[in-house]
Amino acid sequence: MVKHRLKRCGRKQRAIYRIVVIDVRSRREGRDLRKVGFYDPINNQTYLNVPAILYFLEKGAQPTGTVYDILRRAEIFKERTLS
């Protein structure tokens, strides 16, 4: 099974996260299938590759809880239902 998951980057006490598509059996810092965005909780910035995210969601990838909240705030699921 494939999931959208956060992958920690950045330095100590200044974490930023990449949003990646990864196999559930891989560890957090393991090899990802594709990078689809990033999230900076300190500056509250988000960059999302929307076509790639929608592609993997259509193929059955499940977002984790935190990634689901990020995608919901970016209104990805509204775009998905309109298409």
Side-chain angles (χ1 to χ4, degrees):
M1 188 163 124
V2 178
K3 284 197 171 206
H4 289 94
R5 190 187 288 177
L6 292 177
K7 189 174 191 179
R8 191 175 198 275
C9 300
R11 58 179 206 240
K12 188 169 43 170
Q13 301 294 320
R14 297 284 296 172
I16 54 175
Y17 297 92
R18 289 186 187 190
I19 301 171
V20 297
V21 178
I22 195 167
D23 188 19
V24 294
R25 294 170 290 191
S26 298
R27 56 197 174 107
R28 182 186 73 181
E29 304 301 330
R31 184 175 171 92
D32 51 69
L33 300 174
R34 183 148 183 207
K35 296 175 183 76
V36 294
F38 79 87
Y39 170 60
D40 184 357
I42 296 170
N43 297 326
N44 201 19
Q45 294 178 339
T46 305
Y47 168 76
L48 301 171
N49 184 351
V50 177
I53 291 171
L54 292 176
Y55 171 79
F56 281 105
L57 286 174
E58 289 172 3
K59 295 294 181 183
Q62 297 293 317
T64 59
T66 307
V67 174
Y68 180 83
D69 292 339
I70 293 168
L71 296 178
R72 190 182 61 205
R73 263 187 282 153
E75 299 180 352
I76 297 293
F77 298 111
K78 288 183 183 178
E79 293 177 19
R80 186 176 179 196
T81 56
L82 292 177
S83 298

